Amino acid sequence: MDSDKVKGDKTMKDPVCGMDVSADSPHSFVNSGETFYFCCDHCLKKFKDDPEKYLKKDAAFHEELIDADLYTCPMHPEIIQDHPGSCPKCGMALEPRTLVLDDENPELVDMTKRLWISSILALPVFLLSMTADLMPSLLPAWLSMGVVQWISFILATPVVLWGGWPFFERGWQSVRTWNLNMFTLIGLGVSVAWIYSVIALLLPQIFPSNMGMEGGLVHVYFESAAMITVLVLLGQVLELRARSRTNTAIRMLLALSPNRARIVRFDGREEDIPLEQVAIGDMLRIRPGENVPVDGTVIEGASAVDESMVTGEPIPVEKNKGDALIGATTNGTGSLIMRAEKVGSDTLLARIVSMVAEAQRSRAPIQRLADVVSGYFVPAVVFVSFLTFLLWRAWGPEPSLANAIVNAVAVLIIACPCALGLATPIAIMVGTGRGATLGILIKNAEALEIMERVDTLVVDKTGTLTEGRPDLVSVYAVETGQENEVLRIAAGLERASEHSLAAAIVKGAKDRGIEPARLDDFRSTTGKGVTGKVEGHEVLLGSAVMVEDMDIDLGDFLPPIAETLRSDGQTIIFLAVDKKIFGMMGVADPIKKSTPAAIRRLHAEGVTIVMLTGDNRVTAESVAERLGLRHVHAEVLPEQKLKLVKRLQAEGKVVAMAGDGINDAPALAQAQVGIAMGTGTDIAMESADITLVKGDLRGIARARVLSRATMRNIRQNLFFAFIYNSIGVPIAAGILYPFFGLLLSPVIAAAAMSFSSVSVITNSLRLRRVKL
């Protein structure tokens, strides 16, 4: 198996245990030039001892799972396989990597069936045993203690061996691969209680006489084994149901995407087609009340569209010809015809679901604490259980053997590493899902954790603080009467540019009925301007810096006017023809209505805001003054943005960078948290850790609140899990007995263990209601 190929594989099989592993596994070994990956150090050592033993296994283990539906573990995202099942490391039920609308979880169905049947069998055992122990006079004469024990054995055995079989399977797998987990403890505890009881029932004579009851019988614990199994099953069912609710928000989004679309043919005919048949360029009709099928642009009609489920904004957005439509949003009372521009996995909805799923599989740095503790936890619990047995057997009251077994089992059952492991990933799942419903797409858990500590926000002016859709406001020519010619030449050159200022100039010429000049050549200088040949003339269009770099004299007429326009917030672009200044244009980019309120909120939270722009200083300071910003860096080139972020980080700042352009991508990647405006370029969104679908600065403040709430929730979960085990294990071991004569029944321990995991998940689900 070629090592380069492995790096591209989605999943491989551990050649020792057959477990699915990814190329990210830290356990690997090169044998005869081939690289193999392992789930743990235990399997790696076994392979090193005898590689040939395992290389004879089916080579198909190493094939890629390209088209398969893949399943993964929330606690161990490196575990990937092509079918449902349980995680070989922690024993949890695997979840599909791709979110689906089908709510029927086969694991939940199976566990629910086992719970109901086991409960029906276990309840009579529990009631019968309690009655025989506490109120034997209520039993009929024929129902002797021996008969009670045999009835308990007959009813409890299928509960333990069938109802609890998944726990034994997972427990055995954990021992085989040396990934000890909660099912190791459950399997060990239940089997000890049941096996001891079977031996006591069948061979009572082998026990010491002081353990005997009337009739030569020995006390049995079938009711404990059965009820522990039932309570663990109940915990699993409640946990699976709670986990299924962590992605309710995303499933609601998926449900909004219609199954069919109404296509408008070239001959005017209309028909409904399956959504998967929609292609880029198709004309689609959206009738009143229908959901938009894919992303695209309105080409006919007008209506108000409810985008709240994607952007989080409650007010419907007016849509007219030329406006963008987002798939899965809801049309109002008007009728629209749209052109499909993004279909399938390229739609915003598909990207949202993909990003959320990816974030939910990522690991936050705080998870490392739980990972370290969990690695030592189960062996420590087994040791404490064994120590409890020895202490009770040596110094406990009679019957010391029975008491030793009961307390050792209680220690095994009450300990719950699952609650510790779930504390972080479940909160991350709910938090990222909650953010997605409000237009805050979080790419990874680390960004969500860091966001609450951000103290410096670097923002690009255009498209972040401003609308990013500038308008041509003024045109001046050196020679009076040549204003239209200035605009004609400039529009001819800018037609080849994708910059927002270029679009404003081209649109301005079109609005004035001016036909752009013919372009013969085009060259762009990032952050400064463009040059080219227009109708045989050398033309330059750019900032004052670019004009001066080319040794072109601005003259005496234009600079004073330019200064006045800049102080009004306009960006000035100079036009030179054949090395001589010809004219200039003023472009204004209006500040977003939401920007002032967002800046006030961020300032109130103690965040320092630094504005970056390639604009002239006068223009930049005019905008900054209106927004109450004190830190401004003007005439900044793309590479200087990156240097500024690095400098702030060197000063000890936790920096978030917000931008929307290609030239922002390096700085977005450098910042501790990169934030892209969803209205910007795809490159910026790929470089960023968080994307704001609405392109609204208020989303940054919301992201901080979400980060703070999620991290607080995680800390609560970890605290609860640590405290639960710190208190529960000593009590189960019998620490209260010398002082109060109290012992913890294994049944009560099982109930506490089961509900500890459920309580962690329930606490995490509160994030769905957090106010942002």
Side-chain angles (χ1 to χ4, degrees):
M1 180 169 56
D2 186 83
S3 60
D4 291 334
K5 177 184 182 298
V6 170
K7 291 296 182 183
D9 284 356
K10 290 181 180 178
T11 61
M12 289 77 66
K13 291 280 187 180
D14 182 324
V16 175
C17 66
M19 191 181 93
D20 294 280
V21 292
S22 70
D24 295 329
S25 171
H27 309 289
S28 63
F29 180 68
V30 178
N31 181 71
S32 301
E34 299 179 4
T35 304
F36 297 89
Y37 293 83
F38 305 86
C39 67
C40 62
D41 191 55
H42 181 69
C43 288
L44 171 60
K45 289 178 180 177
K46 291 179 71 174
F47 183 83
K48 284 182 178 179
D49 291 340
D50 188 5
E52 292 303 317
K53 174 182 177 182
Y54 302 102
L55 291 177
K56 294 177 183 179
K57 290 188 175 184
D58 188 358
F61 277 0
H62 303 290
E63 292 182 359
E64 281 189 78
L65 302 172
I66 297 176
D67 298 320
D69 292 328
L70 301 180
Y71 293 79
T72 187
C73 173
M75 286 168 57
H76 301 93
E78 70 276 11
I79 302 299
I80 304 168
Q81 67 183 41
D82 61 345
H83 55 277
S86 59
C87 174
K89 288 191 173 182
C90 66
M92 285 179 62
L94 300 180
E95 296 182 347
R97 289 185 61 173
T98 303
L99 297 175
V100 293
L101 285 175
D102 184 10
D103 286 328
E104 186 175 275
N105 183 337
E107 180 82 7
L108 178 57
V109 172
D110 179 63
M111 287 292 181
T112 302
K113 181 174 71 173
R114 291 177 190 271
L115 171 63
W116 281 110
I117 295 176
S118 298
S119 298
I120 292 170
L121 294 174
L123 190 58
V125 175
F126 179 75
L127 294 175
L128 196 59
S129 298
M130 291 300 101
T131 303
D133 287 342
L134 302 177
M135 295 175 288
S137 60
L138 296 180
L139 296 177
W142 62 271
L143 203 55
S144 66
M145 184 59 70
V147 174
V148 167
Q149 288 188 351
W150 275 101
I151 293 175
S152 298
F153 167 71
I154 293 169
L155 293 177
T157 297
V159 173
V160 172
L161 298 185
W162 176 78
W165 184 251
F167 309 145
F168 292 121
E169 277 189 321
R170 296 174 189 183
W172 170 245
Q173 187 179 39
S174 72
V175 173
R176 187 167 59 87
T177 61
W178 207 242
N179 291 299
L180 306 182
N181 54 50
M182 66 173 285
F183 294 103
T184 315
L185 303 179
I186 293 169
L188 189 58
V190 172
S191 59
V192 167
W194 184 79
I195 291 171
Y196 167 83
S197 300
V198 170
I199 295 173
L201 175 67
L202 301 179
L203 303 170
Q205 66 275 9
I206 69 172
F207 289 86
S209 57
N210 57 11
M211 292 182 64
M213 297 186 299
E214 186 178 345
L217 301 175
V218 175
H219 194 81
V220 295
Y221 298 97
F222 288 118
E223 82 284 357
S224 293
M227 289 306 297
I228 288 171
T229 303
V230 168
L231 288 168
V232 175
L233 282 169
L234 176 61
Q236 288 291 292
V237 169
L238 293 176
E239 178 184 316
L240 288 166
R241 286 182 178 173
R243 280 167 56 190
S244 69
R245 295 202 300 273
T246 59
N247 277 319
T248 299
I250 304 304
R251 286 193 172 92
M252 287 173 61
L253 284 177
L254 283 171
L256 292 170
S257 184
N259 296 322
R260 304 181 71 80
R262 190 166 187 82
I263 189 170
V264 180
R265 304 293 186 185
F266 291 109
D267 58 4
R269 291 186 301 109
E270 297 184 11
E271 62 176 306
D272 290 332
I273 62 172
L275 187 64
E276 57 268 20
Q277 292 183 14
V278 175
I280 295 174
D282 283 348
M283 305 301 172
L284 306 173
R285 181 179 293 280
I286 303 106
R287 291 169 290 194
E290 290 184 335
N291 289 342
V292 178
V294 295
D295 295 358
T297 302
V298 177
I299 59 173
E300 184 181 314
S303 184
V305 177
D306 181 2
E307 297 181 341
S308 60
M309 66 292 299
V310 176
T311 66
E313 293 299 322
I315 301 174
V317 181
E318 292 293 331
K319 299 291 182 180
N320 297 286
K321 184 177 180 180
D323 289 336
L325 291 173
I326 302 173
T329 54
T330 305
N331 185 27
T333 56
S335 179
L336 299 171
I337 293 181
M338 68 174 291
R339 180 190 298 109
E341 294 176 349
K342 291 184 178 180
V343 300
S345 60
D346 293 329
T347 63
L348 178 62
L349 176 64
R351 292 173 68 185
I352 287 175
V353 172
S354 176
M355 287 181 70
V356 172
E358 190 68 31
Q360 292 178 344
R361 292 194 299 271
S362 64
R363 298 170 75 80
I366 197 173
Q367 176 71 20
R368 294 175 193 147
L369 173 64
D371 290 344
V372 171
V373 173
S374 296
Y376 296 98
F377 186 80
V378 175
V381 169
V382 173
F383 173 76
V384 171
S385 175
F386 182 66
L387 185 63
T388 299
F389 175 83
L390 293 179
L391 292 174
W392 277 90
R393 185 71 179 97
W395 292 291
E398 293 298 340
S400 61
L401 178 60
N403 285 328
I405 290 175
V406 168
N407 289 303
V409 168
V411 169
L412 290 172
I413 295 300
I414 200 169
C416 186
C418 192
L420 190 62
L422 280 172
T424 298
I426 293 297
I428 294 294
M429 289 176 71
V430 181
T432 51
R434 170 66 171 153
T437 62
L438 295 172
I440 304 168
L441 306 184
I442 299 164
K443 186 181 289 185
N444 57 69
E446 185 174 4
L448 185 62
E449 178 173 337
I450 295 174
M451 192 64 198
E452 73 163 348
R453 297 189 284 110
V454 167
D455 54 28
T456 303
L457 173 64
V458 178
V459 292
D460 181 61
K461 178 178 75 71
T462 305
T464 305
L465 299 176
T466 62
E467 293 287 353
R469 294 189 296 273
D471 294 320
L472 181 65
V473 178
S474 53
V475 180
Y476 291 86
V478 173
E479 298 181 15
T480 305
Q482 292 293 309
E483 287 80 6
N484 284 355
E485 185 64 11
V486 169
L487 191 52
R488 188 182 76 87
I489 296 172
L493 188 60
E494 293 285 40
R495 275 198 302 183
S497 174
E498 294 183 353
H499 197 281
S500 58
L501 296 181
I505 292 172
V506 174
K507 182 177 181 293
K510 182 180 178 182
D511 293 343
R512 290 166 173 79
I514 298 173
E515 183 67 27
R518 182 171 54 84
L519 177 66
D520 298 319
D521 189 17
F522 177 83
R523 294 177 300 280
S524 174
T525 303
T526 305
K528 292 183 178 181
V530 296
T531 59
K533 278 190 175 182
V534 175
E535 297 175 349
H537 296 281
E538 290 287 345
V539 177
L540 178 149
L541 192 65
S543 64
V545 174
M546 185 176 186
V547 172
E548 291 169 359
D549 287 347
M550 300 298 290
D551 295 324
I552 298 173
D553 185 11
L554 287 173
D556 299 326
F557 172 64
L558 295 180
I561 301 173
E563 201 68 16
T564 302
L565 298 177
R566 288 189 187 111
S567 64
D568 191 41
Q570 293 186 36
T571 299
I572 304 303
I573 305 168
F574 291 96
L575 174 67
V577 179
D578 293 332
K579 298 287 185 177
K580 292 183 179 180
I581 199 70
F582 193 73
M584 71 177 186
M585 287 150 289
V587 176
D589 187 6
I591 295 172
K592 292 178 180 177
K593 294 179 180 179
S594 60
T595 296
I599 288 176
R600 286 194 298 270
R601 183 172 177 183
L602 288 167
H603 277 158
E605 293 194 9
V607 178
T608 300
I609 301 177
V610 180
M611 186 181 87
L612 298 182
T613 179
D615 267 352
N616 178 276
R617 175 162 295 278
V618 176
T619 303
E621 290 180 348
S622 172
V623 173
E625 185 178 354
R626 278 183 274 172
L627 293 174
L629 299 177
R630 291 180 296 170
H631 304 278
V632 182
H633 294 263
E635 300 175 4
V636 177
L637 298 176
E639 59 269 20
Q640 292 173 321
K641 294 181 180 181
L642 177 61
K643 289 179 181 178
L644 177 65
V645 171
K646 287 183 177 179
R647 180 163 63 79
L648 290 169
Q649 290 173 328
E651 294 173 0
K653 308 291 187 184
V654 181
V655 181
M657 166 73 186
D660 73 334
I662 293 174
N663 58 5
D664 297 323
L668 289 172
Q670 174 64 34
Q672 276 101 333
V673 180
I675 303 171
M677 300 292 123
T679 50
T681 64
D682 288 346
I683 292 178
M685 293 172 67
E686 287 297 322
S687 304
D689 303 297
I690 297 175
T691 297
L692 305 179
V693 175
K694 187 68 175 176
D696 187 336
L697 208 62
R698 288 177 300 181
I700 298 177
R702 290 173 179 165
R704 274 179 61 83
V705 175
L706 178 63
S707 171
R708 195 157 47 239
T710 303
M711 295 311 300
R712 182 170 60 246
N713 193 279
I714 288 173
R715 293 182 188 107
Q716 290 169 350
N717 288 345
L718 288 173
F719 175 80
F720 175 82
F722 278 124
I723 291 298
Y724 164 82
N725 285 296
S726 299
I727 295 175
V729 171
I731 291 176
I735 196 171
L736 298 179
Y737 185 80
F739 307 101
F740 306 104
L742 296 177
L743 288 177
L744 188 68
S745 163
V747 175
I748 303 300
M753 184 277 298
S754 296
F755 286 101
S756 66
S757 295
V758 176
S759 64
V760 165
I761 299 175
T762 304
N763 185 50
S764 298
L765 288 173
R766 293 191 305 112
L767 287 170
R768 295 189 303 173
R769 299 186 297 274
V770 65
K771 292 183 179 180
L772 303 182

